[in-house]
Amino acid sequence: MPRTLILASTSRYRRELLDRLRLPYEVHAPGVDETPLAGETPLALSQRLALAKARAVADRFPEAIVIGSDQVADLNGEPLGKPGDHARATLQLRRMRGQTLVFQTAVAVVCAATGFSAHEVAPVRVTFRPISDDAIERYLRAEEPYDCAGSAKSEGLGIALLEAIDSDDPTALVGLPLIRTCRMLRAAGVDLL
């Protein structure tokens, strides 16, 4: 009998992406503190949180295969998370205009019963156009991306803010790198097809 698959996330974006695999799965909130540690790089933060989320849920459901993921926008070494509100989103987008950021999207797959644990990062280089304050305001009012790292949804109107996206895993920028996720699920024993 196949093991239960669990997504350790409250993100609707990650659920929408995982739905593409057409596998039955459950969703459980990991309840992990996402505060960066002193001096922690965006890359290290995304890796630590993805693994912590997967392990937290695997501790509660040891027989399951658990997916954890996290994304941190890296602006010249500074982590940018979810803005949470309009004012912070405005400040983020003003700082990011004309800049190239790396969105560090980490994913981890854990099964406590088998001892399986793997994690990978799918870095995505994103170049923002030099957008005006007025364009930022119009965008934020139209899409309200306050729950997205970096304050822009590339899968929606946010694409109009961008000059370029460079990635080898096309779903990584949305929040769950499915190529890497599939690779780890296969390694954990999940039959994807």
Side-chain angles (χ1 to χ4, degrees):
M1 182 165 161
R3 294 186 182 278
T4 301
L5 182 63
I6 299 176
L7 178 62
S9 178
T10 57
S11 165
R12 63 185 169 107
Y13 309 108
R14 289 191 180 102
R15 284 194 308 271
E16 290 169 3
L17 289 170
L18 191 56
D19 286 346
R20 293 182 187 185
L21 300 183
R22 300 179 181 188
L23 296 170
Y25 68 94
E26 298 176 7
V27 176
H28 294 279
V32 169
D33 179 1
E34 297 188 25
T35 306
L37 302 175
E40 191 171 32
T41 66
L43 173 61
L45 175 61
S46 69
Q47 290 176 309
R48 178 177 63 82
L49 292 178
L51 203 49
K53 290 173 181 181
R55 286 179 176 158
V57 173
D59 286 348
R60 298 194 318 256
F61 302 94
E63 295 297 325
I65 295 173
V66 182
I67 302 167
S69 187
D70 195 77
Q71 182 179 73
V72 180
D74 180 343
L75 178 61
N76 302 317
E78 178 188 343
L80 299 179
K82 299 171 189 167
D85 63 35
H86 188 84
R88 283 193 279 265
T90 300
L91 291 174
Q92 276 190 359
L93 288 174
R94 285 179 179 167
R95 292 186 61 212
M96 294 173 359
R97 61 181 157 202
Q99 300 288 319
T100 297
L101 288 80
V102 178
F103 285 76
Q104 305 287 5
T105 308
V107 61
V109 174
V110 172
C111 180
T114 65
F116 182 84
S117 179
H119 66 281
E120 295 188 41
V121 177
V124 182
R125 292 179 54 82
V126 178
T127 302
F128 281 77
R129 292 185 320 98
I131 47 182
S132 68
D133 287 351
D134 186 53
I136 289 171
E137 183 65 20
R138 287 194 318 271
Y139 168 68
L140 291 176
R141 294 292 176 201
E143 199 152 63
E144 299 182 351
Y146 310 132
D147 61 345
C148 298
S151 304
K153 294 181 187 179
S154 64
E155 68 277 22
L157 182 59
I159 199 74
L161 306 176
L162 307 181
E163 194 70 44
I165 298 173
D166 182 22
S167 174
D168 67 354
D169 203 330
T171 59
L173 188 55
V174 182
L176 184 64
L178 287 179
I179 292 172
R180 285 164 173 81
T181 301
C182 287
R183 180 168 43 234
M184 287 185 283
L185 288 175
R186 283 190 298 272
V190 176
D191 183 2
L192 296 169
L193 299 172

